[in-house]
Amino acid sequence: MKTTPRPNLSGALWLLILLSASPVFAQSHADRIDELEAKTLAMAEELAILRAELEKERQAPDSEDMRSIRSESVAARQAAQNAEIAASEWKNSDSVTHLAGYASADYVSPENGNAAFVANFNPMFHFQYKDRILWEAEIEVEIEENGDTSMGLEYSTIDLFLNNNMVLLAGKFLSPVGNFRQNIHPSWINKLPSAPPGFGHDGAAPLAEVGVQLRGGFKIGEQSRMTYAGFIGNGPKLEGEDGEIHGIDTDGFTGDPDDEKVFGGRVSLLPLPKLELAVSGAFGDAAVVENDGVDFEGDPTRDYKVFGVDASYQWNNLDLRGEFIRQDIANEATSIAPEGGVWETWYLQGAYKFADAKWEGVARYTDYTSPHPDKSQEQWALGVNYLLAPSAMLKFAYESNTGLAGESTDDDRWLVQIAYGY
Amino acid sequence: MKKQLLPVIAFALASVALGTGIALSQSPAVAAETATPTQTDPMQFARGAKAWANNCSRCHNMRDPKELRDDQWRAAMMHMRVRAGLTAAETEDILKFLQGSN
């Protein structure tokens, strides 16, 4: 059993005195309730006033403004979102089409013969699927002397991007042997209005190929890189004339009368970002398929070889480049044109931009040797260009040509050209 | 004809096989970079600017980033990757730079 402790009377007394001193204790219970009631009423009144004011605010005419501002800001946010989506569509759609190309208009005035205006136009198409496939094609449209328009498929390839370092191309492509034909010949790129002798039709440098090509590049450390291209194609055709080989036709063919594929490629090394040194070549077979302008069948096949070296270097406003290339056809005793031959050319070019890079001076030396003396040519070309835009140039040039006396290859020429690439 | 078909097929198959082989064995970093170009990489723009300055005036005059729209640069850069022998990663970097500067 618990024992109840005796209450401490003096403690209770003290407590009583203390409590009687406090004002709360002094207030009666009813007083307190009255006071609280009054406070609550006052608060309710205040609340009612505030509510009324708020309602007035809501219904006031300037609250319309507020609402429209609010809806405008919602619309703006929506528009910004839409713009972002639209912008990302431009960047990220799976398929892209792009129209490019270049055109030029020339005025050519030879020493002997008539001066004339010339025009051509090369539209170019790109169709791309993701980062995987690119179809690139270029059409070459030229107006001939008699007014006819000639059209050619300069190239058309489907490029498959295999990985970081490899692209597989199939179709008709510019020959990766040498550099001028594949990278420098477009008129907005070439710093002179003409191609160096030996880099045109029936010359020393192969033009195009129909086949498959694997190309790409690797970085070597921070500064250096290597690029490569290897191909298999149908190869060239030979044209016979008066029992001789008139020229090697390298336009790129869909037939292969000699029934032997041509293998070739190019490897370039860039020890510095703007110094490129390259070696290229190809080998295979070729046969005479046209004689004195008419189709010719049954001529035996013979060896075909190409070898090229090219280099380029840029430093500030200076641009230097050069290239050596030779095509070689073996002798074939039983052929309608038994004697083979070597078509060989090389050029060196220096260009310098001045006056705020608006003007450019160019000098180029070329020495082209063909088995036909009337085709061989040595040339000095000097030019001044005005750069209208990064890809638009007005070119003025003079060619000092030395060829067989009396031939057009011996005529000096003035050339003016306007070229624009897009 | 028969003997000619062989090297062509072999060439095509070998390059595709080699290509996919290399693609599969690629380091995850490079693979990720080429697979998801929209990924944000703060250094990409700077790398692209440097690669652009180093590579894009080798064959022709430097083209202004402002010349083309974002989508046009995509196609032009794929084209230039083939011409200039650039890697996929460099191409992506330069594209980011051009799209951020036009």
Side-chain angles (χ1 to χ4, degrees):
Chain A
M1 229 191 115
K2 251 193 204 169
T3 50
T4 8
R6 267 178 77 116
N8 185 340
L9 275 181
S10 68
L13 199 66
W14 274 113
L15 196 65
L16 209 64
I17 293 166
L18 265 176
L19 282 178
S20 64
S22 111
V24 179
F25 192 73
Q27 241 176 357
S28 77
H29 194 58
D31 281 352
R32 255 207 93 211
I33 287 172
D34 283 351
E35 195 190 319
L36 281 173
E37 231 167 28
K39 266 189 188 163
T40 312
L41 270 176
M43 275 168 78
E45 242 165 69
E46 239 171 89
L47 195 65
I49 292 167
L50 279 172
R51 268 218 190 101
E53 258 172 32
L54 194 67
E55 196 52 35
K56 230 199 281 166
E57 194 69 29
R58 274 217 188 110
Q59 276 160 12
D62 61 355
S63 80
E64 270 302 312
D65 291 352
M66 281 302 292
R67 221 173 289 164
S68 79
I69 285 170
R70 211 175 299 135
S71 73
E72 260 169 39
S73 86
V74 167
R77 211 177 308 139
Q78 190 67 44
Q81 252 166 19
N82 288 347
E84 216 169 273
I85 291 166
S88 97
E89 273 170 11
W90 280 116
K91 268 189 208 155
N92 301 325
S93 66
D94 281 352
S95 298
V96 180
T97 56
H98 178 220
L99 192 61
Y102 58 93
S104 66
D106 302 56
Y107 181 74
V108 184
S109 172
E111 192 180 350
N112 299 300
N114 301 331
F117 291 99
V118 186
N120 72 351
F121 157 56
N122 294 49
M124 200 159 76
F125 309 86
H126 296 133
F127 302 91
Q128 177 185 346
Y129 178 72
K130 292 189 175 170
D131 293 343
R132 290 280 142 216
I133 304 172
L134 177 72
W135 167 29
E136 40 166 325
E138 182 178 319
I139 296 168
E140 190 179 30
V141 186
E142 267 172 346
I143 305 169
E144 291 173 13
E145 272 181 44
N146 65 5
D148 287 355
T149 298
S150 73
M151 195 157 90
L153 183 61
E154 175 122 326
Y155 61 76
S156 173
T157 57
I158 296 175
D159 310 352
L160 301 179
F161 294 83
L162 300 180
N163 59 42
N164 199 33
N165 312 92
M166 298 171 114
V167 189
L168 184 67
L169 286 70
K172 180 179 177 183
F173 43 85
L174 297 174
S175 175
V177 181
N179 196 33
F180 184 84
R181 280 313 304 186
Q182 57 172 332
N183 287 324
I184 312 298
H185 87 274
S187 51
W188 67 272
I189 299 179
N190 187 6
K191 294 178 188 300
L192 282 159
S194 59
F199 286 87
H201 290 270
D202 299 336
L207 306 182
E209 206 35 280
V210 179
V212 284
Q213 185 187 166
L214 184 73
R215 59 189 291 156
F218 295 88
K219 284 190 81 172
I220 307 171
E222 261 309 294
Q223 284 260 319
S224 315
R225 72 173 58 241
M226 188 220 128
T227 77
Y228 70 91
F231 70 89
I232 304 178
N234 290 331
K237 291 180 179 178
L238 304 179
E239 298 157 354
E241 197 176 71
D242 302 328
E244 288 184 333
I245 294 171
H246 164 73
I248 308 171
D249 194 343
T250 54
D251 274 334
F253 304 99
T254 50
D256 191 13
D258 61 74
D259 201 19
E260 291 285 345
K261 297 288 166 281
V262 163
F263 299 76
R266 177 174 180 266
V267 176
S268 88
L269 189 71
L270 291 100
L272 299 171
K274 292 180 185 175
L275 172 64
E276 180 172 28
L277 308 165
V279 186
S280 56
F283 65 90
D285 278 12
V288 175
V289 296
E290 194 187 301
N291 195 43
D292 294 330
V294 289
D295 287 351
F296 185 75
E297 273 182 40
D299 207 61
T301 64
R302 61 220 330 213
D303 279 353
Y304 163 74
K305 284 193 299 247
V306 202
F307 174 71
V309 189
D310 64 86
S312 71
Y313 179 60
Q314 288 81 41
W315 183 69
N316 289 342
N317 288 346
L318 187 67
D319 181 295
L320 301 174
R321 60 182 69 246
E323 180 165 348
F324 166 89
I325 197 154
R326 65 177 268 164
Q327 289 190 109
D328 195 326
I329 294 291
N331 294 335
E332 176 51 59
T334 59
S335 167
I336 192 164
E339 210 175 314
V342 170
W343 284 254
E344 181 181 296
T345 189
W346 65 272
Y347 81 87
L348 278 179
Q349 176 183 291
Y352 188 77
K353 288 196 183 83
F354 57 93
D356 224 9
K358 279 266 170 269
W359 291 87
E360 185 172 43
V362 199
R364 181 182 75 197
Y365 174 80
T366 315
D367 190 2
Y368 170 45
T369 315
S370 153
H372 307 288
D374 60 327
K375 295 281 182 342
S376 295
Q377 191 177 29
E378 188 188 345
Q379 178 186 86
W380 266 106
L382 297 173
V384 178
N385 303 330
Y386 179 70
L387 284 93
L388 299 149
S391 63
M393 258 194 261
L394 189 57
K395 311 180 203 173
F396 306 90
Y398 181 75
E399 287 175 358
S400 166
N401 292 307
T402 309
L404 199 65
E407 294 291 334
S408 62
T409 48
D410 196 43
D411 274 3
D412 293 351
R413 300 195 299 175
W414 284 98
L415 304 102
V416 183
Q417 182 184 64
I418 180 158
Y420 173 51
Y422 177 77
Chain B
M1 171 45 208
K2 325 95 231 154
K3 61 181 191 300
Q4 282 303 307
L5 202 58
L6 219 60
V8 177
I9 293 173
F11 182 88
L13 286 182
S15 44
V16 172
L18 199 57
T20 34
I22 291 181
L24 290 176
S25 67
Q26 241 172 7
S27 76
V30 173
E33 205 169 358
T34 46
T36 51
T38 41
Q39 217 174 30
T40 47
D41 169 0
M43 286 315 287
Q44 194 172 28
F45 187 88
R47 277 200 312 271
K50 192 172 166 218
W52 174 74
N54 278 343
N55 289 294
C56 301
S57 63
R58 210 161 82 217
C59 300
H60 49 69
N61 289 332
M62 192 66 117
R63 303 288 294 252
D64 192 329
K66 289 198 163 36
E67 276 186 62
L68 300 181
R69 265 192 330 247
D70 283 357
D71 60 317
Q72 296 172 319
W73 273 124
R74 273 181 69 192
M77 274 312 298
M78 288 296 263
H79 187 206
M80 287 307 110
R81 176 183 164 188
V82 179
R83 289 297 169 114
L86 302 171
T87 64
E90 285 175 302
T91 308
E92 268 309 321
D93 292 349
I94 298 175
L95 181 62
K96 270 278 134 51
F97 164 76
L98 291 166
Q99 290 180 333
S101 311
N102 58 355

